Amino acid sequence: MYHSATVGIALAIGTNEHVCFMPHVQQRRHHNNNNNNNKHQRQQQQQQQRIESTEKAAYRVEHSEIYGRYLVANRELEAGELLIREQPVAIGPCVSCEPVCLGCYCPVSLEATQYRCPGCAFPLCGAKCRGLNRRDGHGANECETFGRQRARAADLLRVGVSPDLVRDLYELVMIVRIVLLRDAEPENYALIRRMESHTEQRRENLTLWQHYEQKVVRRLREEWQLGAEADELHEICGILDVNCFEIGQRGAKARTLYPSAFLLAHDCSPNTSHTDDPESFSIMLRTSRVVRERETLTLSYAYTLQGTLKRRTFIQGGKLFWCQCQRCADPRELGSDCSALVCPVQSCPQGTIRATAPLDQQADWACDRCDHRLSAANLERLLDRINEDLESIDVHNIPALENFLTRYQGVLRPNHYLLLSAKYSLCQIYGRIEGYLLPQMSPEDIARKERYCREFLKIIDLLEPGLTRLRGLIMYELHAPIMVLAQLGMQSGRMTRQEFQRRIKEVVKLLEDSSHILQMEPPGSSEHEMGLAAADALSKMRG
């Protein structure tokens, strides 16, 4: 395990035990004399309690018959505390139709001109890829294994091949890597095998089970002669589905297993956030807000800016449980209303459609002002159609994104997650692409960017409050339009000095917060660079 030294805890992985290494705190001895009084003693006691609190382990492992092993705060945790920093025990390409380099996980092409590994012929980014001959990249053992199956593997990766075949081949890579750990790194292999796989539940899901039986188990055992038992392969597939993280910086995308990060429980409004180091693929997991002692430490297994219906379906499909967190149980999703629709009845323009029973995927959705109801199946079809429309739009096409917002404002409420997705894209590209750079933008467009940023930030403050990456990013985006409009207002005489000063104070606060949040991201990441830019802008403002 690769815990930060500040954590002070070692997990007994594979058991229900935990071992806390709490440094000995030497007690201060106070000699009674006439000058000591009760106030002095209380100050000393408070100081001692603060010392003990900071040296106490941040979390401990607990066990539940329902949830298995999970982490709880061992003391009150401050926002931003580093809980876990560790390198992956296994890493590989995501399950995707997009080919990537097996060394660094950056995109590659299937063109004839693309560089390929001389040993196995899998596409690589180049002969000097930093991931060659590294345990977190393309090593000799797997190269030899893939090389023996070249005709059934890399030779099939050519222009015009079906996306499904690309997906199926890249899905095998991490599974093969884990099997190879059995001999190369038996301790890490044993650690992985002790992770939860939900094998029996997966066996009951015939579609899922048959996919892995045909695409993985039979192929690796019968065609590749890998030397692994069928049960072993099914269990590895389950372990990956249940426990892996998808990571990526600077265009790279990979899925990983970590020694202890998998122990965090899920919540759709979590109290931690995580990021990954683009150089080492290490995960860094921090508290995003103050966490009470004995509070369960949580992260989200799904994208928090999805609606409940889609979010719960996604979690059940991969993790095999139906989320019943506070947000999922609330028709208004903690006040965000990011699944709400406009009632289609012409005589009910103020009506809003929400889930009648959010924890029942089949329950109807109903208007809060009239008798109109919508089945869950019809709602999903509607959302899929709108999502397909959004996905077809180039993320740099500002007029098309604005048109999307206009076309669906009569169908979706303003905070609906599909509208928020379009607004977030606009928050990022207004001011950044030719024709819409800040000096080229009209005051109306600048005000529109400010409005979208404020609307988005309002929802993030509900769903991902505290020191979260998305909150830091949107605060950085928001500072620019506020600053520009304040300057334009003063120059035109339409803004009072008092209002100008109020807006400048808001800009300073946004830069302070975004700089603090984003500089916690790993050096080399785009978020960390943005944090440095925020700090630089703040320094220039202060002179």
Side-chain angles (χ1 to χ4, degrees):
M1 249 170 282
Y2 302 86
H3 285 288
S4 163
T6 60
V7 172
I9 185 170
L11 300 178
I13 300 294
T15 73
N16 296 330
E17 302 172 351
H18 64 274
V19 182
C20 295
F21 295 99
M22 301 181 187
H24 176 68
V25 180
Q26 185 169 352
Q27 300 295 321
R28 296 177 182 265
R29 294 180 179 174
H30 305 291
H31 298 283
N32 292 325
N33 56 53
N34 293 333
N35 294 326
N36 286 344
N37 53 39
N38 290 336
K39 181 179 179 181
H40 178 69
Q41 290 175 354
R42 285 197 300 272
Q43 289 175 339
Q44 292 291 332
Q45 290 171 353
Q46 290 170 356
Q47 181 182 3
Q48 184 65 27
Q49 288 171 355
R50 284 195 294 270
I51 293 172
E52 291 176 353
S53 176
T54 57
E55 294 185 348
K56 191 176 182 181
Y59 60 84
R60 64 180 182 271
V61 182
E62 293 200 351
H63 182 268
S64 161
E65 292 300 324
I66 298 175
Y67 303 111
R69 289 176 295 159
Y70 62 100
L71 303 184
V72 298
N74 208 37
R75 55 175 169 81
E76 183 173 290
L77 305 176
E78 296 297 323
E81 281 202 45
L82 180 64
L83 301 176
I84 292 173
R85 179 176 183 136
E86 57 190 9
Q87 293 179 334
V89 289
I91 183 171
C94 293
V95 180
S96 169
C97 300
E98 301 298 325
V100 298
C101 173
L102 295 190
C104 63
Y105 312 105
C106 289
V108 294
S109 79
L110 299 181
E111 299 286 343
T113 55
Q114 178 68 49
Y115 179 82
R116 292 190 175 234
C117 174
C120 66
F122 260 91
L124 298 174
C125 66
K128 295 183 179 180
C129 173
R130 67 182 180 87
L132 295 182
N133 299 312
R134 281 177 39 166
R135 74 170 302 278
D136 57 16
H138 186 47
N141 284 351
E142 73 172 53
C143 185
E144 182 181 346
T145 301
F146 296 149
R148 289 195 298 267
Q149 307 301 326
R150 181 168 174 165
R152 300 184 181 89
D155 284 350
L156 301 178
L157 294 173
R158 301 294 175 185
V159 173
V161 70
S162 75
D164 287 347
L165 188 146
V166 175
R167 177 193 182 281
D168 292 345
L169 283 175
Y170 277 96
E171 182 174 30
L172 296 176
V173 172
M174 191 169 180
I175 297 167
V176 170
R177 287 180 177 181
I178 292 174
V179 173
L180 293 177
L181 288 179
R182 188 175 54 200
D183 295 326
E185 298 178 23
E187 290 185 2
N188 281 335
Y189 177 78
L191 189 155
I192 292 171
R193 289 295 300 272
R194 287 195 291 267
M195 295 179 184
E196 182 58 69
S197 65
H198 295 309
T199 297
E200 293 309 314
Q201 291 173 263
R202 292 161 55 79
R203 196 186 300 272
E204 294 173 3
N205 185 327
L206 294 181
T207 302
L208 184 68
W209 190 264
Q210 284 302 312
H211 166 79
Y212 286 117
E213 177 68 24
Q214 295 171 13
K215 302 290 187 178
V216 176
V217 176
R218 291 181 183 174
R219 176 173 288 181
L220 292 181
R221 280 173 51 79
E222 298 172 9
E223 296 180 21
W224 288 35
Q225 299 291 306
L226 187 60
E229 297 297 325
D231 288 346
E232 175 188 9
L233 293 173
H234 272 297
E235 187 171 329
I236 290 172
C237 292
I239 287 169
L240 288 172
D241 280 349
V242 174
N243 301 283
C244 77
F245 288 75
E246 289 199 0
I247 65 169
Q249 300 275 4
R250 301 185 301 209
K253 291 183 180 180
R255 57 176 179 161
T256 54
L257 291 174
Y258 293 101
S260 56
F262 74 94
L263 289 167
L264 270 82
H266 163 78
D267 194 279
C268 291
S269 185
N271 54 25
T272 73
S273 61
H274 66 276
T275 189
D276 55 278
D277 188 313
E279 295 299 324
S280 66
F281 306 110
S282 297
I283 192 171
M284 287 161 285
L285 194 143
R286 300 177 186 271
T287 51
S288 54
R289 58 170 174 78
V290 173
V291 179
R292 301 184 309 275
E293 184 176 356
R294 293 189 294 275
E295 183 179 346
T296 301
L297 293 170
T298 59
L299 53 74
S300 179
Y301 298 165
Y303 184 45
T304 52
L305 288 180
Q306 269 194 326
T308 295
L309 197 66
K310 291 295 185 181
R311 212 172 50 250
R312 295 184 80 234
T313 298
F314 174 82
I315 294 169
Q316 202 281 331
K319 309 300 183 181
L320 298 180
F321 72 91
W322 291 107
C323 182
Q324 301 186 49
C325 72
Q326 182 182 0
R327 179 184 170 190
C328 285
D330 180 6
R332 295 176 184 265
E333 299 195 43
L334 305 182
S336 68
D337 240 0
C338 64
S339 292
L341 292 85
V342 177
C343 180
V345 177
Q346 289 187 353
S347 61
C348 187
Q350 302 303 315
T352 297
I353 294 178
R354 299 186 183 92
T356 57
L359 299 183
D360 180 356
Q361 295 293 101
Q362 307 304 318
D364 285 353
W365 287 51
C367 178
D368 60 358
R369 296 199 176 201
C370 73
D371 295 332
H372 182 76
R373 298 177 79 86
L374 182 66
S375 72
N378 285 337
L379 175 64
E380 284 208 84
R381 281 191 286 271
L382 173 64
L383 295 178
D384 287 342
R385 179 173 58 80
I386 298 174
N387 184 65
E388 288 173 6
D389 192 356
L390 179 59
E391 290 291 323
S392 70
I393 299 173
D394 183 341
V395 294
H396 298 97
N397 190 334
I398 287 178
L401 289 169
E402 289 286 4
N403 179 260
F404 176 86
L405 294 179
T406 301
R407 282 187 290 119
Y408 290 108
Q409 65 182 358
V411 179
L412 309 173
R413 284 298 176 200
N415 292 343
H416 194 280
Y417 70 92
L418 289 171
L419 295 185
L420 286 174
S421 180
K423 289 176 183 178
Y424 183 57
S425 294
L426 289 165
C427 288
Q428 292 179 300
I429 58 177
Y430 268 130
R432 279 200 171 83
I433 63 173
E434 188 58 41
Y436 293 92
L437 299 174
L438 278 175
Q440 301 170 327
M441 289 170 64
S442 67
E444 291 76 20
D445 282 343
I446 298 173
R448 189 176 293 112
K449 173 172 175 132
E450 178 186 350
R451 186 175 78 251
Y452 292 156
C453 287
R454 289 190 185 280
E455 291 172 355
F456 195 83
L457 182 59
K458 182 179 178 181
I459 301 305
I460 292 299
D461 283 341
L462 292 172
L463 302 180
E464 290 191 21
L467 306 180
T468 57
R469 178 170 54 251
L470 201 51
R471 189 165 175 269
L473 291 171
I474 203 66
M475 286 192 293
Y476 182 77
E477 294 293 345
L478 176 57
H479 94 275
I482 296 176
M483 172 71 85
V484 172
L485 290 175
Q487 292 172 334
L488 291 175
M490 279 295 289
Q491 292 168 3
S492 66
R494 295 177 184 153
M495 183 177 291
T496 65
R497 178 164 295 276
Q498 183 179 13
E499 175 62 15
F500 177 80
Q501 291 175 340
R502 186 191 69 77
R503 283 181 160 254
I504 295 304
K505 285 182 180 179
E506 184 181 12
V507 169
V508 169
K509 177 63 174 171
L510 289 168
L511 288 173
E512 287 176 341
D513 289 350
S514 60
S515 172
H516 175 54
I517 292 171
L518 297 177
Q519 287 191 73
M520 290 192 290
E521 297 293 309
S525 66
S526 59
E527 292 85 357
H528 188 268
E529 293 300 316
M530 194 173 288
L532 294 177
D536 183 60
L538 189 61
S539 176
K540 290 177 180 176
M541 286 187 68
R542 288 171 170 167

